Amino acid sequence: MMFRQASRLLAGSVRLSRRPFSTATEVPAATTTHTDSGFMESWTKVIPNIDPPKTPSHFMNPRPATPSSIPSKITVNFVLPYASELSTKEVDMVIIPATTGQMGVLPGHVPTIAELKPGILSVHEGNDVTKYFLSSGFAFIHANSVADVIAVEAVPVDYIDPSLVQKGLTDFTQKLSSATTELDKAEAQIGVDIHSALNAALSG
Amino acid sequence: MAMAALRREGRRFAPLISPQPITAAVRSSLIQQEQAPLGVRSISTQIIRNRMKSVKNIQKITKAMKMVAASKLRAIQTRAENSRGLWQPFTALLGDTPSVDVKKNVIVTISSDKGLCGGINSTSVKTSKALFKLTSGPDKEPKYVVVGEKAKAQLVRDSRKHIDISITGLQKNPLNYTQVSVLADDILKNVEYDALRVVFNKFRSVISFIPTTATVLSPEIVEREAESGGRLGDLDSYEIEGGETKSEILQNLTEYQFSCVLFNAVLENACSEQGARMSAMDSSSRNAGEVLDRLTLTYNRTRQASITTELIEIISGASALEG
């Protein structure tokens, strides 16, 4: 009877200790050019008891290398905070609303970092054109014909309601004219910019 | 003497009478006997009965907490997985350089506000303290920005003067990008930094959470690293579209990167918290079940022993009268 109790106690304690341990025992799947082995080494020198934490590059798929000849398609990654709209989609051309105006991106484009203003992003695939209205963000075009577009908010153009756009535009223009502090003025200006861009998007 | 021997016999017989095989009829008769006032002998069964009731309640509560954590996890897991694409373009462009050597390191530790979630907050704090040790040097002083009550409680104990900002109550409203970007803005405005190291638990699966650190560099350091070559060396080959200078665009870029990285980190940590809470509550209810089993056995043994003692007294009394 005592032995049965003892074995039950042992089993209980063993189950208690089987908590999710975060020791990493696996080897990183694909070593990208960005993994930092120097970090791991300096960590193990200073803190030998704890495993080093993983870094974001460990969780990322490695990017393709720069091809020698210009590829036929450009790969687009279009991400938003709450969704990845397009992920590694191969298309013919992308038109992004950079601060200097609409910019067309074709395969083999020179590497660029572009800040975006509110406007339309159009993705051309053969004869299909998909248009999204972005609220601003960034676009990176890499040498390996991969384009990353990161926006804070984006909707397909069909989702926009024209009457609400007009109303918003009048509201914000009024707020801009009656704004007193710098912050209010800046906020009203942003509202006006976005709504006028929305207007242009609907008409254009 | 005889009674003691019989009592010992009773104790040896008791484990053979395991709880399940007792038939319903026998059990009901035993229960009826016990409900009759037995005097002093019933107090020990009373104590055990109270303990059994409280352990059963604990089991119910922990089971309910596990269900709640499971439903919250389902809700937030899809959002965390959708936000995973957000930081990848930045890492693809600016690289991942945790070994960068800078003077002003700021360690942003993300933890939960509520407890009972296993060991994830302790692992975050351990990793943060280790990063602190790694990045301190003769003229380098790292600082902490703590998000969440649990890490704040642990770090305040020995590193109070190194904590710059502490933020609690993040999960009062459902997490969204606006809230996190306001938080990121606050941090960037009030803290001087060369490199921000965000420490959080990445959600790999319901039972596996990986401590991760993501590094965001300030625009000046990005320029310095780009000039010195190495990982960011090919940053110069990128054309800057627009009339702004490179430093202005880098400023906007690093701020945007920090808010995106922070958003993903907060979501992943929330997922890990719910997953850890699920497994902690699950093991807790299982342990409560085991304690309950053991208590039931003790209870039955005590009850049967007291009945046996009653019977012995009655019978010996009766036989004394006869003989």
Side-chain angles (χ1 to χ4, degrees), chain A residues 15-16 20 22 26 36 47 54-55 57 81-82 100 111 113 115 142, chain B residues 82 96 98-99 204 207 209 211-213 238-239 241 244 252 286-287 290:
Chain A
R15 221 168 299 168
L16 268 170
S22 31
E26 40 163 71
D36 212 335
I47 307 129
K54 293 275 178 289
T55 49
S57 54
Y82 50 83
T100 50
I113 303 176
E115 199 174 336
H142 303 277
Chain B
N82 287 338
D96 187 22
S99 64
R204 187 163 57 171
I207 48 168
F209 325 106
T212 316
T213 169
Y238 283 81
E239 295 254 331
E241 184 69 31
E244 301 171 341
N252 290 343
R286 214 176 313 132
N287 289 338
E290 282 169 26

PDB file of all heavy atoms in Angstrom, chain A residues 15-16 20 22 26 36 47 54-55 57 81-82 100 111 113 115 142, chain B residues 82 96 98-99 204 207 209 211-213 238-239 241 244 252 286-287 290:
ATOM      1  N   ARG A  15       5.047  14.372 -13.610  1.00  0.00           N
ATOM      2  CA  ARG A  15       4.152  15.080 -14.517  1.00  0.00           C
ATOM      3  C   ARG A  15       4.223  16.582 -14.264  1.00  0.00           C
ATOM      4  O   ARG A  15       4.119  17.365 -15.171  1.00  0.00           O
ATOM      5  CB  ARG A  15       2.730  14.564 -14.327  1.00  0.00           C
ATOM      6  CG  ARG A  15       1.998  14.397 -15.643  1.00  0.00           C
ATOM      7  CD  ARG A  15       0.730  13.622 -15.481  1.00  0.00           C
ATOM      8  NE  ARG A  15       0.957  12.287 -14.985  1.00  0.00           N
ATOM      9  CZ  ARG A  15      -0.016  11.488 -14.540  1.00  0.00           C
ATOM     10  NH1 ARG A  15      -1.237  11.903 -14.564  1.00  0.00           N
ATOM     11  NH2 ARG A  15       0.240  10.293 -14.090  1.00  0.00           N
ATOM     12  N   LEU A  16       4.416  16.955 -12.986  1.00  0.00           N
ATOM     13  CA  LEU A  16       4.501  18.381 -12.654  1.00  0.00           C
ATOM     14  C   LEU A  16       5.673  19.028 -13.357  1.00  0.00           C
ATOM     15  O   LEU A  16       5.604  20.154 -13.790  1.00  0.00           O
ATOM     16  CB  LEU A  16       4.698  18.550 -11.150  1.00  0.00           C
ATOM     17  CG  LEU A  16       3.435  18.725 -10.310  1.00  0.00           C
ATOM     18  CD1 LEU A  16       3.787  18.628  -8.849  1.00  0.00           C
ATOM     19  CD2 LEU A  16       2.798  20.073 -10.581  1.00  0.00           C
ATOM     20  N   PRO A  20       6.429  23.061 -20.419  1.00  0.00           N
ATOM     21  CA  PRO A  20       7.057  23.390 -21.716  1.00  0.00           C
ATOM     22  C   PRO A  20       8.366  24.122 -21.510  1.00  0.00           C
ATOM     23  O   PRO A  20       8.400  25.253 -21.085  1.00  0.00           O
ATOM     24  CB  PRO A  20       6.036  24.288 -22.402  1.00  0.00           C
ATOM     25  CG  PRO A  20       5.145  24.760 -21.334  1.00  0.00           C
ATOM     26  CD  PRO A  20       5.121  23.708 -20.286  1.00  0.00           C
ATOM     27  N   SER A  22      11.721  25.872 -22.919  1.00  0.00           N
ATOM     28  CA  SER A  22      12.011  26.543 -24.174  1.00  0.00           C
ATOM     29  C   SER A  22      13.440  26.310 -24.619  1.00  0.00           C
ATOM     30  O   SER A  22      14.039  27.125 -25.263  1.00  0.00           O
ATOM     31  CB  SER A  22      11.732  28.028 -24.011  1.00  0.00           C
ATOM     32  OG  SER A  22      11.975  28.408 -22.684  1.00  0.00           O
ATOM     33  N   GLU A  26      16.808  22.047 -31.730  1.00  0.00           N
ATOM     34  CA  GLU A  26      16.874  21.776 -33.163  1.00  0.00           C
ATOM     35  C   GLU A  26      17.853  22.731 -33.812  1.00  0.00           C
ATOM     36  O   GLU A  26      18.136  23.807 -33.326  1.00  0.00           O
ATOM     37  CB  GLU A  26      15.497  21.973 -33.759  1.00  0.00           C
ATOM     38  CG  GLU A  26      14.825  23.177 -33.155  1.00  0.00           C
ATOM     39  CD  GLU A  26      13.688  23.637 -33.976  1.00  0.00           C
ATOM     40  OE1 GLU A  26      12.695  22.925 -33.980  1.00  0.00           O
ATOM     41  OE2 GLU A  26      13.821  24.700 -34.607  1.00  0.00           O
ATOM     42  N   ASP A  36      23.167  35.404 -37.257  1.00  0.00           N
ATOM     43  CA  ASP A  36      24.278  36.048 -36.577  1.00  0.00           C
ATOM     44  C   ASP A  36      24.968  35.045 -35.662  1.00  0.00           C
ATOM     45  O   ASP A  36      24.546  34.860 -34.517  1.00  0.00           O
ATOM     46  CB  ASP A  36      23.718  37.211 -35.758  1.00  0.00           C
ATOM     47  CG  ASP A  36      24.706  38.326 -35.677  1.00  0.00           C
ATOM     48  OD1 ASP A  36      25.912  38.034 -35.810  1.00  0.00           O
ATOM     49  OD2 ASP A  36      24.287  39.465 -35.476  1.00  0.00           O
ATOM     50  N   ILE A  47      27.039  33.877 -20.878  1.00  0.00           N
ATOM     51  CA  ILE A  47      25.967  33.198 -20.145  1.00  0.00           C
ATOM     52  C   ILE A  47      25.928  31.745 -20.591  1.00  0.00           C
ATOM     53  O   ILE A  47      25.166  31.381 -21.493  1.00  0.00           O
ATOM     54  CB  ILE A  47      24.610  33.874 -20.422  1.00  0.00           C
ATOM     55  CG1 ILE A  47      24.699  35.373 -20.138  1.00  0.00           C
ATOM     56  CG2 ILE A  47      23.538  33.276 -19.536  1.00  0.00           C
ATOM     57  CD1 ILE A  47      24.209  36.210 -21.250  1.00  0.00           C
ATOM     58  N   LYS A  54      16.226  32.922 -29.822  1.00  0.00           N
ATOM     59  CA  LYS A  54      16.251  32.897 -31.275  1.00  0.00           C
ATOM     60  C   LYS A  54      16.064  34.316 -31.790  1.00  0.00           C
ATOM     61  O   LYS A  54      15.546  35.180 -31.106  1.00  0.00           O
ATOM     62  CB  LYS A  54      15.106  32.018 -31.796  1.00  0.00           C
ATOM     63  CG  LYS A  54      15.294  30.564 -31.447  1.00  0.00           C
ATOM     64  CD  LYS A  54      16.146  29.891 -32.468  1.00  0.00           C
ATOM     65  CE  LYS A  54      16.426  28.459 -32.163  1.00  0.00           C
ATOM     66  NZ  LYS A  54      17.306  28.231 -31.060  1.00  0.00           N
ATOM     67  N   THR A  55      16.477  34.540 -33.002  1.00  0.00           N
ATOM     68  CA  THR A  55      16.318  35.860 -33.604  1.00  0.00           C
ATOM     69  C   THR A  55      15.387  35.737 -34.803  1.00  0.00           C
ATOM     70  O   THR A  55      15.197  34.651 -35.322  1.00  0.00           O
ATOM     71  CB  THR A  55      17.680  36.386 -34.049  1.00  0.00           C
ATOM     72  OG1 THR A  55      18.328  35.376 -34.805  1.00  0.00           O
ATOM     73  CG2 THR A  55      18.535  36.720 -32.850  1.00  0.00           C
ATOM     74  N   SER A  57      15.545  36.210 -37.915  1.00  0.00           N
ATOM     75  CA  SER A  57      15.982  35.594 -39.167  1.00  0.00           C
ATOM     76  C   SER A  57      15.850  34.082 -39.113  1.00  0.00           C
ATOM     77  O   SER A  57      15.758  33.427 -40.141  1.00  0.00           O
ATOM     78  CB  SER A  57      17.423  35.973 -39.469  1.00  0.00           C
ATOM     79  OG  SER A  57      18.241  35.657 -38.365  1.00  0.00           O
ATOM     80  N   PRO A  81      -0.787  44.887 -41.082  1.00  0.00           N
ATOM     81  CA  PRO A  81      -0.630  44.390 -39.715  1.00  0.00           C
ATOM     82  C   PRO A  81      -1.509  43.196 -39.396  1.00  0.00           C
ATOM     83  O   PRO A  81      -1.155  42.366 -38.579  1.00  0.00           O
ATOM     84  CB  PRO A  81      -1.027  45.584 -38.851  1.00  0.00           C
ATOM     85  CG  PRO A  81      -0.736  46.757 -39.682  1.00  0.00           C
ATOM     86  CD  PRO A  81      -0.992  46.359 -41.088  1.00  0.00           C
ATOM     87  N   TYR A  82      -2.674  43.106 -40.020  1.00  0.00           N
ATOM     88  CA  TYR A  82      -3.573  42.024 -39.635  1.00  0.00           C
ATOM     89  C   TYR A  82      -3.673  40.924 -40.676  1.00  0.00           C
ATOM     90  O   TYR A  82      -4.447  39.999 -40.528  1.00  0.00           O
ATOM     91  CB  TYR A  82      -4.974  42.584 -39.360  1.00  0.00           C
ATOM     92  CG  TYR A  82      -5.483  43.469 -40.449  1.00  0.00           C
ATOM     93  CD1 TYR A  82      -6.084  42.941 -41.585  1.00  0.00           C
ATOM     94  CD2 TYR A  82      -5.348  44.845 -40.365  1.00  0.00           C
ATOM     95  CE1 TYR A  82      -6.542  43.743 -42.591  1.00  0.00           C
ATOM     96  CE2 TYR A  82      -5.804  45.659 -41.379  1.00  0.00           C
ATOM     97  CZ  TYR A  82      -6.398  45.108 -42.485  1.00  0.00           C
ATOM     98  OH  TYR A  82      -6.835  45.925 -43.485  1.00  0.00           O
ATOM     99  N   THR A 100       6.554  60.628 -54.571  1.00  0.00           N
ATOM    100  CA  THR A 100       6.811  61.420 -55.773  1.00  0.00           C
ATOM    101  C   THR A 100       5.797  61.155 -56.859  1.00  0.00           C
ATOM    102  O   THR A 100       5.911  61.688 -57.946  1.00  0.00           O
ATOM    103  CB  THR A 100       8.192  61.071 -56.331  1.00  0.00           C
ATOM    104  OG1 THR A 100       8.285  59.650 -56.417  1.00  0.00           O
ATOM    105  CG2 THR A 100       9.287  61.592 -55.439  1.00  0.00           C
ATOM    106  N   PRO A 111      17.342  48.506 -57.044  1.00  0.00           N
ATOM    107  CA  PRO A 111      16.888  48.421 -55.649  1.00  0.00           C
ATOM    108  C   PRO A 111      16.521  49.796 -55.107  1.00  0.00           C
ATOM    109  O   PRO A 111      17.271  50.753 -55.244  1.00  0.00           O
ATOM    110  CB  PRO A 111      18.095  47.860 -54.892  1.00  0.00           C
ATOM    111  CG  PRO A 111      19.031  47.356 -55.895  1.00  0.00           C
ATOM    112  CD  PRO A 111      18.669  47.894 -57.222  1.00  0.00           C
ATOM    113  N   ILE A 113      14.213  52.093 -51.938  1.00  0.00           N
ATOM    114  CA  ILE A 113      13.379  52.215 -50.733  1.00  0.00           C
ATOM    115  C   ILE A 113      12.473  53.400 -50.991  1.00  0.00           C
ATOM    116  O   ILE A 113      12.956  54.508 -51.242  1.00  0.00           O
ATOM    117  CB  ILE A 113      14.222  52.507 -49.484  1.00  0.00           C
ATOM    118  CG1 ILE A 113      15.273  51.432 -49.271  1.00  0.00           C
ATOM    119  CG2 ILE A 113      13.333  52.611 -48.271  1.00  0.00           C
ATOM    120  CD1 ILE A 113      16.185  51.725 -48.116  1.00  0.00           C
ATOM    121  N   GLU A 115       9.027  55.657 -49.715  1.00  0.00           N
ATOM    122  CA  GLU A 115       7.973  55.899 -48.746  1.00  0.00           C
ATOM    123  C   GLU A 115       6.689  56.145 -49.524  1.00  0.00           C
ATOM    124  O   GLU A 115       6.709  56.787 -50.572  1.00  0.00           O
ATOM    125  CB  GLU A 115       8.321  57.117 -47.891  1.00  0.00           C
ATOM    126  CG  GLU A 115       7.533  57.156 -46.616  1.00  0.00           C
ATOM    127  CD  GLU A 115       7.984  58.287 -45.714  1.00  0.00           C
ATOM    128  OE1 GLU A 115       9.130  58.721 -45.857  1.00  0.00           O
ATOM    129  OE2 GLU A 115       7.174  58.733 -44.901  1.00  0.00           O
ATOM    130  N   HIS A 142      14.001  44.929 -54.015  1.00  0.00           N
ATOM    131  CA  HIS A 142      15.339  44.374 -53.842  1.00  0.00           C
ATOM    132  C   HIS A 142      15.949  44.017 -55.177  1.00  0.00           C
ATOM    133  O   HIS A 142      15.257  43.937 -56.189  1.00  0.00           O
ATOM    134  CB  HIS A 142      15.269  43.123 -52.968  1.00  0.00           C
ATOM    135  CG  HIS A 142      14.643  43.379 -51.642  1.00  0.00           C
ATOM    136  ND1 HIS A 142      15.324  43.893 -50.580  1.00  0.00           N
ATOM    137  CD2 HIS A 142      13.377  43.211 -51.214  1.00  0.00           C
ATOM    138  CE1 HIS A 142      14.514  44.010 -49.548  1.00  0.00           C
ATOM    139  NE2 HIS A 142      13.331  43.608 -49.906  1.00  0.00           N
TER     140      HIS A 142
ATOM    141  N   ASN B  82      -1.281  35.957 -38.824  1.00  0.00           N
ATOM    142  CA  ASN B  82      -1.396  36.910 -39.918  1.00  0.00           C
ATOM    143  C   ASN B  82      -0.395  38.034 -39.805  1.00  0.00           C
ATOM    144  O   ASN B  82       0.002  38.615 -40.819  1.00  0.00           O
ATOM    145  CB  ASN B  82      -2.805  37.519 -39.944  1.00  0.00           C
ATOM    146  CG  ASN B  82      -3.814  36.529 -40.453  1.00  0.00           C
ATOM    147  OD1 ASN B  82      -3.455  35.586 -41.134  1.00  0.00           O
ATOM    148  ND2 ASN B  82      -5.066  36.735 -40.098  1.00  0.00           N
ATOM    149  N   ASP B  96      19.466  41.143 -39.637  1.00  0.00           N
ATOM    150  CA  ASP B  96      19.174  40.803 -38.253  1.00  0.00           C
ATOM    151  C   ASP B  96      20.498  40.824 -37.516  1.00  0.00           C
ATOM    152  O   ASP B  96      21.313  39.929 -37.677  1.00  0.00           O
ATOM    153  CB  ASP B  96      18.548  39.413 -38.241  1.00  0.00           C
ATOM    154  CG  ASP B  96      18.065  39.062 -36.865  1.00  0.00           C
ATOM    155  OD1 ASP B  96      17.827  39.972 -36.075  1.00  0.00           O
ATOM    156  OD2 ASP B  96      17.941  37.865 -36.615  1.00  0.00           O
ATOM    157  N   PRO B  98      21.800  41.041 -33.964  1.00  0.00           N
ATOM    158  CA  PRO B  98      21.783  41.147 -32.510  1.00  0.00           C
ATOM    159  C   PRO B  98      23.170  41.353 -31.902  1.00  0.00           C
ATOM    160  O   PRO B  98      23.293  41.789 -30.762  1.00  0.00           O
ATOM    161  CB  PRO B  98      21.198  39.804 -32.057  1.00  0.00           C
ATOM    162  CG  PRO B  98      21.413  38.894 -33.179  1.00  0.00           C
ATOM    163  CD  PRO B  98      21.404  39.710 -34.419  1.00  0.00           C
ATOM    164  N   SER B  99      24.217  41.051 -32.673  1.00  0.00           N
ATOM    165  CA  SER B  99      25.549  41.181 -32.100  1.00  0.00           C
ATOM    166  C   SER B  99      26.127  42.569 -32.342  1.00  0.00           C
ATOM    167  O   SER B  99      27.315  42.789 -32.181  1.00  0.00           O
ATOM    168  CB  SER B  99      26.476  40.137 -32.719  1.00  0.00           C
ATOM    169  OG  SER B  99      26.597  40.409 -34.095  1.00  0.00           O
ATOM    170  N   ARG B 204       5.208  28.854 -31.013  1.00  0.00           N
ATOM    171  CA  ARG B 204       5.417  27.879 -32.080  1.00  0.00           C
ATOM    172  C   ARG B 204       4.257  26.911 -32.120  1.00  0.00           C
ATOM    173  O   ARG B 204       3.779  26.540 -33.167  1.00  0.00           O
ATOM    174  CB  ARG B 204       6.738  27.138 -31.862  1.00  0.00           C
ATOM    175  CG  ARG B 204       7.052  26.240 -33.037  1.00  0.00           C
ATOM    176  CD  ARG B 204       8.467  25.831 -33.068  1.00  0.00           C
ATOM    177  NE  ARG B 204       8.852  25.155 -31.845  1.00  0.00           N
ATOM    178  CZ  ARG B 204      10.013  24.545 -31.683  1.00  0.00           C
ATOM    179  NH1 ARG B 204      10.870  24.536 -32.668  1.00  0.00           N
ATOM    180  NH2 ARG B 204      10.323  23.991 -30.552  1.00  0.00           N
ATOM    181  N   ILE B 207       2.167  23.859 -27.032  1.00  0.00           N
ATOM    182  CA  ILE B 207       3.012  23.461 -25.906  1.00  0.00           C
ATOM    183  C   ILE B 207       4.427  23.986 -26.030  1.00  0.00           C
ATOM    184  O   ILE B 207       5.270  23.695 -25.206  1.00  0.00           O
ATOM    185  CB  ILE B 207       3.068  21.929 -25.782  1.00  0.00           C
ATOM    186  CG1 ILE B 207       3.362  21.304 -27.137  1.00  0.00           C
ATOM    187  CG2 ILE B 207       1.784  21.405 -25.203  1.00  0.00           C
ATOM    188  CD1 ILE B 207       3.709  19.860 -27.048  1.00  0.00           C
ATOM    189  N   PHE B 209       6.974  27.353 -26.667  1.00  0.00           N
ATOM    190  CA  PHE B 209       7.145  28.798 -26.783  1.00  0.00           C
ATOM    191  C   PHE B 209       8.631  29.087 -26.762  1.00  0.00           C
ATOM    192  O   PHE B 209       9.321  28.662 -25.850  1.00  0.00           O
ATOM    193  CB  PHE B 209       6.464  29.517 -25.617  1.00  0.00           C
ATOM    194  CG  PHE B 209       5.219  28.830 -25.175  1.00  0.00           C
ATOM    195  CD1 PHE B 209       5.203  28.109 -24.012  1.00  0.00           C
ATOM    196  CD2 PHE B 209       4.083  28.868 -25.950  1.00  0.00           C
ATOM    197  CE1 PHE B 209       4.068  27.439 -23.608  1.00  0.00           C
ATOM    198  CE2 PHE B 209       2.942  28.209 -25.560  1.00  0.00           C
ATOM    199  CZ  PHE B 209       2.932  27.493 -24.383  1.00  0.00           C
ATOM    200  N   PRO B 211      11.811  31.643 -26.555  1.00  0.00           N
ATOM    201  CA  PRO B 211      12.246  33.014 -26.267  1.00  0.00           C
ATOM    202  C   PRO B 211      13.008  33.553 -27.451  1.00  0.00           C
ATOM    203  O   PRO B 211      13.882  32.891 -28.002  1.00  0.00           O
ATOM    204  CB  PRO B 211      13.149  32.866 -25.043  1.00  0.00           C
ATOM    205  CG  PRO B 211      13.450  31.442 -24.907  1.00  0.00           C
ATOM    206  CD  PRO B 211      12.475  30.657 -25.702  1.00  0.00           C
ATOM    207  N   THR B 212      12.608  34.754 -27.868  1.00  0.00           N
ATOM    208  CA  THR B 212      13.179  35.351 -29.074  1.00  0.00           C
ATOM    209  C   THR B 212      13.544  36.791 -28.772  1.00  0.00           C
ATOM    210  O   THR B 212      12.902  37.449 -27.961  1.00  0.00           O
ATOM    211  CB  THR B 212      12.116  35.348 -30.197  1.00  0.00           C
ATOM    212  OG1 THR B 212      11.480  34.091 -30.208  1.00  0.00           O
ATOM    213  CG2 THR B 212      12.731  35.590 -31.550  1.00  0.00           C
ATOM    214  N   THR B 213      14.578  37.272 -29.457  1.00  0.00           N
ATOM    215  CA  THR B 213      14.875  38.687 -29.337  1.00  0.00           C
ATOM    216  C   THR B 213      15.033  39.295 -30.724  1.00  0.00           C
ATOM    217  O   THR B 213      15.738  38.774 -31.577  1.00  0.00           O
ATOM    218  CB  THR B 213      16.130  38.927 -28.472  1.00  0.00           C
ATOM    219  OG1 THR B 213      16.504  40.274 -28.603  1.00  0.00           O
ATOM    220  CG2 THR B 213      17.287  38.073 -28.909  1.00  0.00           C
ATOM    221  N   TYR B 238      20.702  50.795 -52.391  1.00  0.00           N
ATOM    222  CA  TYR B 238      19.290  51.085 -52.587  1.00  0.00           C
ATOM    223  C   TYR B 238      19.103  52.560 -52.869  1.00  0.00           C
ATOM    224  O   TYR B 238      19.574  53.410 -52.132  1.00  0.00           O
ATOM    225  CB  TYR B 238      18.489  50.712 -51.334  1.00  0.00           C
ATOM    226  CG  TYR B 238      18.249  49.228 -51.210  1.00  0.00           C
ATOM    227  CD1 TYR B 238      19.222  48.402 -50.700  1.00  0.00           C
ATOM    228  CD2 TYR B 238      17.054  48.662 -51.616  1.00  0.00           C
ATOM    229  CE1 TYR B 238      19.006  47.046 -50.585  1.00  0.00           C
ATOM    230  CE2 TYR B 238      16.827  47.313 -51.501  1.00  0.00           C
ATOM    231  CZ  TYR B 238      17.809  46.505 -50.992  1.00  0.00           C
ATOM    232  OH  TYR B 238      17.602  45.169 -50.883  1.00  0.00           O
ATOM    233  N   GLU B 239      18.370  52.830 -53.935  1.00  0.00           N
ATOM    234  CA  GLU B 239      18.036  54.219 -54.255  1.00  0.00           C
ATOM    235  C   GLU B 239      16.935  54.700 -53.329  1.00  0.00           C
ATOM    236  O   GLU B 239      16.052  53.926 -52.969  1.00  0.00           O
ATOM    237  CB  GLU B 239      17.462  54.274 -55.675  1.00  0.00           C
ATOM    238  CG  GLU B 239      18.417  53.892 -56.752  1.00  0.00           C
ATOM    239  CD  GLU B 239      18.863  55.124 -57.489  1.00  0.00           C
ATOM    240  OE1 GLU B 239      18.083  56.100 -57.552  1.00  0.00           O
ATOM    241  OE2 GLU B 239      19.993  55.115 -57.997  1.00  0.00           O
ATOM    242  N   GLU B 241      13.739  56.803 -53.120  1.00  0.00           N
ATOM    243  CA  GLU B 241      12.743  57.417 -53.986  1.00  0.00           C
ATOM    244  C   GLU B 241      12.128  58.597 -53.251  1.00  0.00           C
ATOM    245  O   GLU B 241      11.698  58.498 -52.127  1.00  0.00           O
ATOM    246  CB  GLU B 241      11.656  56.385 -54.298  1.00  0.00           C
ATOM    247  CG  GLU B 241      10.603  56.846 -55.262  1.00  0.00           C
ATOM    248  CD  GLU B 241      11.139  57.008 -56.662  1.00  0.00           C
ATOM    249  OE1 GLU B 241      12.064  56.262 -57.011  1.00  0.00           O
ATOM    250  OE2 GLU B 241      10.635  57.866 -57.385  1.00  0.00           O
ATOM    251  N   GLU B 244      13.243  63.173 -50.068  1.00  0.00           N
ATOM    252  CA  GLU B 244      13.851  63.230 -48.738  1.00  0.00           C
ATOM    253  C   GLU B 244      15.271  62.715 -48.781  1.00  0.00           C
ATOM    254  O   GLU B 244      15.644  61.942 -49.638  1.00  0.00           O
ATOM    255  CB  GLU B 244      13.026  62.371 -47.783  1.00  0.00           C
ATOM    256  CG  GLU B 244      11.608  62.856 -47.705  1.00  0.00           C
ATOM    257  CD  GLU B 244      10.749  61.883 -46.932  1.00  0.00           C
ATOM    258  OE1 GLU B 244      11.160  60.723 -46.781  1.00  0.00           O
ATOM    259  OE2 GLU B 244       9.687  62.315 -46.490  1.00  0.00           O
ATOM    260  N   ASN B 252      12.149  57.478 -40.539  1.00  0.00           N
ATOM    261  CA  ASN B 252      10.788  56.953 -40.651  1.00  0.00           C
ATOM    262  C   ASN B 252      10.790  55.435 -40.685  1.00  0.00           C
ATOM    263  O   ASN B 252       9.945  54.780 -40.084  1.00  0.00           O
ATOM    264  CB  ASN B 252      10.126  57.482 -41.930  1.00  0.00           C
ATOM    265  CG  ASN B 252       9.833  58.956 -41.826  1.00  0.00           C
ATOM    266  OD1 ASN B 252       9.830  59.515 -40.737  1.00  0.00           O
ATOM    267  ND2 ASN B 252       9.612  59.585 -42.965  1.00  0.00           N
ATOM    268  N   ARG B 286      -5.196  18.008 -13.440  1.00  0.00           N
ATOM    269  CA  ARG B 286      -4.822  16.595 -13.359  1.00  0.00           C
ATOM    270  C   ARG B 286      -4.252  16.281 -11.981  1.00  0.00           C
ATOM    271  O   ARG B 286      -4.590  15.264 -11.371  1.00  0.00           O
ATOM    272  CB  ARG B 286      -3.793  16.246 -14.434  1.00  0.00           C
ATOM    273  CG  ARG B 286      -3.980  14.837 -14.926  1.00  0.00           C
ATOM    274  CD  ARG B 286      -3.056  14.464 -16.041  1.00  0.00           C
ATOM    275  NE  ARG B 286      -2.998  15.470 -17.073  1.00  0.00           N
ATOM    276  CZ  ARG B 286      -1.869  15.926 -17.582  1.00  0.00           C
ATOM    277  NH1 ARG B 286      -0.717  15.510 -17.136  1.00  0.00           N
ATOM    278  NH2 ARG B 286      -1.887  16.842 -18.531  1.00  0.00           N
ATOM    279  N   ASN B 287      -3.406  17.153 -11.459  1.00  0.00           N
ATOM    280  CA  ASN B 287      -2.855  16.947 -10.119  1.00  0.00           C
ATOM    281  C   ASN B 287      -3.942  16.978  -9.070  1.00  0.00           C
ATOM    282  O   ASN B 287      -3.925  16.195  -8.121  1.00  0.00           O
ATOM    283  CB  ASN B 287      -1.823  18.026  -9.801  1.00  0.00           C
ATOM    284  CG  ASN B 287      -0.566  17.849 -10.610  1.00  0.00           C
ATOM    285  OD1 ASN B 287      -0.299  16.762 -11.074  1.00  0.00           O
ATOM    286  ND2 ASN B 287       0.173  18.925 -10.778  1.00  0.00           N
ATOM    287  N   GLU B 290      -5.556  13.745  -8.940  1.00  0.00           N
ATOM    288  CA  GLU B 290      -4.754  12.741  -8.235  1.00  0.00           C
ATOM    289  C   GLU B 290      -4.870  12.908  -6.727  1.00  0.00           C
ATOM    290  O   GLU B 290      -5.008  11.932  -5.981  1.00  0.00           O
ATOM    291  CB  GLU B 290      -3.298  12.848  -8.656  1.00  0.00           C
ATOM    292  CG  GLU B 290      -3.046  12.215  -9.985  1.00  0.00           C
ATOM    293  CD  GLU B 290      -1.671  12.574 -10.485  1.00  0.00           C
ATOM    294  OE1 GLU B 290      -0.805  12.864  -9.656  1.00  0.00           O
ATOM    295  OE2 GLU B 290      -1.487  12.563 -11.707  1.00  0.00           O
TER     296      GLU B 290
END
